Amino acid sequence: DVRYYGQWMRDEAEKRIGHLYPKIDVTAEMTKERPDLKPYVGKQLTVIAWLWARTVKSPNPAFAKVDVPLASTFMLSTKPGKEAYVEPVIEGGSYRFTVKVGKPKDTEAAGNGTKYSQGSFRCLISNAPIKYEYIDSEANAGRLGRRLMAVVAEGDRRRLYLPPTEKEESLALAAHPDWKPEIPCRGTWASNAQGRRYGFRTFGDYFTARQLVALTTFSDLVNEARDLAKRHALAAGLSGDGRSLAAGGVGAAAYADALATYLAIAVDKAVDYNSTICRWISGGETLRNTFGRQAIPMTWDYCESNTLASATGSFDSGLRQVARTLELVVAGTTGYASQFDAQSIAVSDRVVSTDPPYYDNIGYADLSDFFYVWLRRALKPIFPDLFATLAVPKTEELVAESYCHGTKERAEDFFLKGMTQA
């Protein structure tokens, strides 16, 4: 059932936002520089991802109007026999990107992109160093840009890398979301990575306009799928018990609520793979999700996946994972889950699952907002109490974050007293 309604959501999403994810027509003209594309002439290729580099204005006064890329690498694929890379072409005071297949002449240079060292880059045109402080200042002033470096398409059992076009860039700019998460990112980049540096002031800032349009579309479709499932259940003769899943219902309404919950989890899985923190892995020819660890590390070049495709990063990919999990769940068992504050509740005859705090190392509540804002949009009608707050409650969380308590000493005192009480 989850697969069926998930596929319905995917098809509905394509009707509404498919124009933002068009296929690529392979022409004979394209094969002049890329003979490897000849087998695909006349075909339409599904785009898997777009690879972008963030940009800043060149610090060299002679090229101060040029947006130069902060690319940590130009390698697209390092698989033996499938190597591909981005080659910048300098044309006077500007540049463009093209894509080459095979091993680059200078493997080290291609691997380094425009990066000098950690947090330090070079101007692609003048080779002037771009220091960390300059990048930080430009980002906080809202002047970080982006430039499309390459497009990844689906070939016959392989990835195809294509050069960027004005059409591809304009498509991304054509997206206009009508909603974005406005929950502020708290904390510091160094501790739990919720940085106000680099212009990430709200959780909505982690996403491109196209990503926001796609994720809001899928989130809103959860409740439409819920209504459809309820109608189908009633037509099939399931009880008309109007009680919701949260109220302990067992009829058509509760059935639809359960389906919607699983579908919302699939959408939230897609959220993890659809932010500007995701990176392309040249060795595996796939993308890395936002949360490789309990933090949001900065990425200078990022991967924007096609949510309507079937590869990693798509809604369909998350749906498959949810469905596979449900297929392994033992049917016929009953369980109940409750959430308590360990400082104020005593329990017995139950299994207690807890994760001890890590002092000031990981701010789970802060990081959870990344997912919570999307779950809330999709599931608040079903679980109004669970999603009553705009963000994850944080006051009671036992972490020693000085930004929450004013000073390091107060934060430590709060942590120790709380752990003692628990």
Side-chain angles (χ1 to χ4, degrees):
D1 290 354
V2 169
R3 291 181 188 272
Y4 173 84
Y5 291 103
Q7 184 60 49
W8 177 86
M9 284 176 57
R10 190 256 171 227
D11 292 343
E12 282 297 309
E14 185 163 26
K15 294 176 186 177
R16 302 176 190 187
I17 61 174
H19 62 282
L20 296 175
Y21 300 94
K23 295 186 176 183
I24 291 181
D25 295 308
V26 180
T27 64
E29 182 70 21
M30 296 168 65
T31 65
K32 291 181 179 180
E33 294 186 5
R34 291 284 301 277
D36 61 304
L37 296 177
K38 285 183 179 180
Y40 302 96
V41 172
K43 296 182 179 180
Q44 287 190 322
L45 303 179
T46 298
V47 176
I48 295 173
W50 295 265
L51 307 184
W52 300 83
R54 301 187 201 273
T55 64
V56 293
K57 298 293 184 184
S58 173
N60 187 322
F63 303 101
K65 294 183 179 181
V66 182
D67 295 302
V68 292
L70 306 174
S72 61
T73 183
F74 285 139
M75 292 302 302
L76 300 172
S77 172
T78 56
K79 281 187 175 181
K82 297 182 179 180
E83 293 89 350
Y85 60 97
V86 171
E87 183 174 86
V89 179
I90 311 299
E91 298 174 328
S94 64
Y95 65 94
R96 60 183 175 87
F97 291 122
T98 187
V99 171
K100 301 288 186 180
V101 293
K103 293 182 179 180
K105 293 179 181 179
D106 191 336
T107 304
E108 183 178 0
N112 291 335
T114 62
K115 200 167 187 177
Y116 268 149
S117 60
Q118 187 68 32
S120 176
F121 294 83
R122 62 178 177 84
C123 171
L124 182 63
I125 298 177
S126 68
N127 276 326
I130 306 176
K131 296 183 179 180
Y132 175 93
E133 294 79 10
Y134 176 79
I135 298 172
D136 192 22
S137 175
E138 289 294 288
N140 284 323
R143 290 192 289 266
L144 268 188
R146 59 174 177 161
R147 186 76 177 263
L148 185 61
M149 292 196 300
V151 179
V152 188
E154 196 171 50
D156 295 330
R157 298 184 180 180
R158 65 177 301 164
R159 304 289 192 240
L160 295 175
Y161 299 94
L162 305 171
T165 64
E166 289 185 13
K167 179 182 177 181
E168 294 292 337
E169 289 216 39
S170 62
L171 269 174
L173 298 175
H176 298 289
D178 56 13
W179 181 83
K180 63 181 289 189
E182 297 289 358
I183 302 301
C185 301
R186 307 201 313 166
T188 62
W189 197 268
S191 59
N192 52 29
Q194 305 282 353
R196 290 185 181 275
R197 302 176 186 177
Y198 310 120
F200 298 118
R201 293 178 173 82
T202 72
F203 279 95
D205 294 331
Y206 287 115
F207 305 92
T208 68
R210 181 161 51 188
Q211 287 171 335
L212 288 170
V213 169
L215 294 174
T216 53
T217 298
F218 275 107
S219 294
D220 294 345
L221 280 168
V222 167
N223 274 289
E224 294 185 37
R226 175 194 179 203
D227 293 339
L228 181 64
K230 183 178 179 181
R231 293 197 300 270
H232 286 171
L234 289 171
L238 199 63
S239 165
D241 179 2
R243 289 180 300 161
S244 68
L245 182 67
V250 294
Y255 164 77
D257 287 350
L259 271 173
T261 301
Y262 294 129
L263 293 171
I265 292 172
V267 174
D268 227 30
K269 188 69 177 178
V271 169
D272 190 24
Y273 283 86
N274 284 273
S275 80
T276 61
I277 304 301
C278 299
R279 291 194 62 186
W280 184 252
I281 306 172
S282 60
E285 293 190 291
T286 187
L287 76 153
R288 178 178 286 114
N289 59 321
T290 303
F291 285 93
R293 56 189 177 90
Q294 301 101 325
I296 305 179
M298 181 57 174
T299 56
W300 300 110
D301 38 74
Y302 61 89
C303 173
E304 182 184 11
S305 66
N306 183 347
T307 55
L308 299 180
S310 60
T312 301
S314 65
F315 168 72
D316 189 56
S317 176
L319 179 68
R320 291 196 301 268
Q321 294 183 52
V322 172
R324 283 199 300 267
T325 301
L326 292 176
E327 289 166 356
L328 296 174
V329 173
V330 178
T333 59
T334 301
Y336 300 93
S338 303
Q339 182 174 317
F340 296 109
D341 181 353
Q343 299 176 77
S344 58
I345 194 73
V347 296
S348 60
D349 300 323
R350 299 182 188 180
V351 173
V352 178
S353 175
T354 183
D355 191 8
Y358 292 94
Y359 192 68
D360 64 347
N361 191 35
I362 299 171
Y364 280 122
D366 282 327
L367 292 171
S368 295
D369 277 333
F370 185 91
F371 296 101
Y372 177 88
V373 291
W374 296 102
L375 283 174
R376 185 176 189 269
R377 183 177 177 90
L379 296 179
K380 187 182 177 184
I382 302 175
F383 304 105
D385 294 336
L386 186 61
F387 294 100
T389 56
L390 291 175
V392 174
K394 301 176 180 65
T395 305
E396 301 87 355
E397 185 184 26
L398 284 179
V399 290
E401 292 288 3
S402 57
Y403 69 84
C404 293
H405 302 281
T407 66
K408 183 177 180 179
E409 290 73 20
R410 290 177 182 173
E412 183 175 276
D413 183 62
F414 168 81
F415 177 82
L416 294 177
K417 286 182 178 178
M419 285 296 288
T420 301
Q421 178 66 19

